[in-house]
Amino acid sequence: MHVKVGVKTLHTKMSPTNSKMFSWETYDEDISSLGESSRITARGLLEQMNVTRDTSDYLWYTTSIDISPSESFLRGGKKPTLNVDSAGHALHVFINGQFSGSAFGTRKDRGFTFTGPVNLHAGANHIALVSVAVGLPNVGLHFETWKTGIVGVYLNGLDKGKKDLSSHKWSYQVGLKGEAMYLASPEGVSSVEWIQGSLATQSRQSMTWYKAYFDAPTGNEPLALDMRSMGKGQVWINGQSVGRYWMAYGNGECGKCSYSGTYRPTKCQGGCGHPTQRWYHVPRSWLKPKQNLLVVFEELGGDASKISLVRRSVLNRHHHNK
């Protein structure tokens, strides 16, 4: 005798909506004047959470260093190397206003070191380091003893060897200028001059604000932003924070899968080479029928013109087992 047993499985599918982003414009987070009128200066490096008091993810550490015209690297020698030790969670480095690289901690170890060559010239050079805290930890004891931010800065490769900048006079700025101007809000978005044009959205600049408008899609399925074309940052809709996004790509042991033997968390991992999170939920209750404001702050660089609004549909499938 054969018995047919019906088994229902649910499959989700992310599909494009009929809603297009239009009027993309950009605004660069100005770093050229950092430190000029800072209200916080100190000899040495301050702990990030004590300075920001949870008002922003971002804390700028800025200082200047004088380079002698006699330095060998100025005459074709090897560029000096900057080392920045951080207690977490992320760091972006700017030398004389130019982006020089980033470094990040991991879930297992928040601390890390940035190491990279830097372009310095004779005379005064401006070093700006933005330390990024990716939220507050939600596990572990004695949170009051946990540290974030920069703990050491060193310049290697000068004629006199290693120079410790950690005890230099540093200026501090809490947060971004765009945050202070409330650029994410419908009221604050008109407070600056935005740059128009599709070329601006594809420039992949670091530390850049983007804005666009879109109409609410038809239907009632759940909605999400597809942020795969971006790097790391934050996003808002009509002034409401969708949250932080980060296209950190999964890596691990995604090969042959077998659950035989002792279980380990590394068994049967999947998603290697794909973003750990690509879609970010957008509540329909936040949307107006027309002219919804989307604002994105991108730290690393991305192609904002490829951001899209997608809908999540659930497909019922029946399987019959004999």
Side-chain angles (χ1 to χ4, degrees):
M1 183 174 69
H2 298 282
V3 178
K4 286 189 176 181
V5 179
V7 179
K8 183 168 76 171
T9 59
L10 299 179
H11 294 264
T12 60
K13 181 183 178 183
M14 306 301 277
S15 306
T17 63
N18 60 352
S19 183
K20 303 295 182 188
M21 306 293 171
F22 55 92
S23 303
W24 275 111
E25 296 179 295
T26 66
Y27 174 76
D28 289 340
E29 178 72 16
D30 180 24
I31 65 169
S32 61
S33 60
L34 280 169
E36 289 180 1
S37 59
S38 177
R39 288 174 292 177
I40 307 173
T41 58
R43 288 224 165 259
L45 299 164
L46 302 180
E47 196 278 327
Q48 182 167 349
M49 289 298 181
N50 281 340
V51 178
T52 61
R53 300 287 179 176
D54 200 26
T55 57
S56 173
D57 281 2
Y58 306 96
L59 177 62
W60 288 95
Y61 296 67
T62 63
T63 193
S64 290
I65 178 173
D66 283 317
I67 295 297
S68 169
S70 64
E71 285 286 348
S72 302
F73 77 86
L74 294 172
R75 297 186 301 278
K78 186 180 178 183
K79 289 180 183 178
T81 299
L82 187 71
N83 295 107
V84 183
D85 296 331
S86 173
H89 303 112
L91 171 74
H92 309 306
V93 177
F94 296 83
I95 306 296
N96 295 320
Q98 298 299 310
F99 177 63
S100 294
S102 301
F104 311 98
T106 64
R107 182 176 58 86
K108 292 180 181 177
D109 187 1
R110 301 185 313 279
F112 60 91
T113 298
F114 168 88
T115 302
V118 287
N119 289 318
L120 301 176
H121 53 242
N125 291 262
H126 190 248
I127 298 175
L129 311 172
V130 60
S131 180
V132 187
V134 188
L136 297 172
N138 59 3
V139 291
L141 302 173
H142 302 294
F143 171 63
E144 70 279 5
T145 66
W146 292 32
K147 289 180 169 54
T148 57
I150 296 166
V151 294
V153 183
Y154 311 93
L155 192 59
N156 296 283
L158 301 178
D159 288 345
K160 291 184 179 179
K162 183 176 182 179
K163 188 174 183 65
D164 187 348
L165 305 181
S166 307
S167 58
H168 264 217
K169 180 183 176 183
W170 290 85
S171 297
Y172 296 86
Q173 178 178 299
V174 175
L176 307 169
K177 293 191 175 180
E179 288 179 314
M181 294 184 288
Y182 305 105
L183 287 193
S185 70
E187 297 77 28
V189 77
S190 59
S191 63
V192 300
E193 289 289 329
W194 294 76
I195 300 171
Q196 298 181 2
S198 59
L199 288 177
T201 60
Q202 298 171 27
S203 59
R204 295 189 174 272
Q205 291 286 329
S206 60
M207 308 301 282
T208 300
W209 295 81
Y210 297 89
K211 77 175 174 75
Y213 293 91
F214 65 95
D215 296 336
T218 56
N220 58 5
E221 302 103 328
L223 301 174
L225 284 172
D226 185 346
M227 301 294 292
R228 188 168 187 173
S229 65
M230 304 304 284
K232 178 183 181 301
Q234 300 184 41
V235 57
W236 299 261
I237 288 180
N238 292 330
Q240 300 278 0
S241 174
V242 174
R244 303 174 180 90
Y245 66 87
W246 194 351
M247 295 303 110
Y249 285 77
N251 58 68
E253 301 174 18
C254 292
K256 187 177 171 183
C257 176
S258 172
Y259 280 109
S260 62
T262 305
Y263 173 74
R264 295 282 186 272
T266 56
K267 286 197 172 185
C268 296
Q269 292 182 334
C272 289
H274 296 279
T276 50
Q277 185 174 344
R278 173 179 173 180
W279 294 290
Y280 294 80
H281 176 59
V282 176
R284 279 189 178 265
S285 59
W286 290 3
L287 301 183
K288 305 178 295 182
K290 302 283 185 181
Q291 282 284 107
N292 294 283
L293 172 65
L294 171 67
V295 175
V296 177
F297 176 68
E298 171 60 43
E299 298 173 26
L300 298 173
D303 185 350
S305 67
K306 289 188 171 64
I307 296 174
S308 63
L309 195 66
V310 298
R311 57 188 173 87
R312 176 180 177 268
S313 53
V314 179
L315 309 174
N316 295 330
R317 292 180 181 172
H318 288 269
H319 304 276
H320 293 285
N321 297 329
K322 289 185 177 181

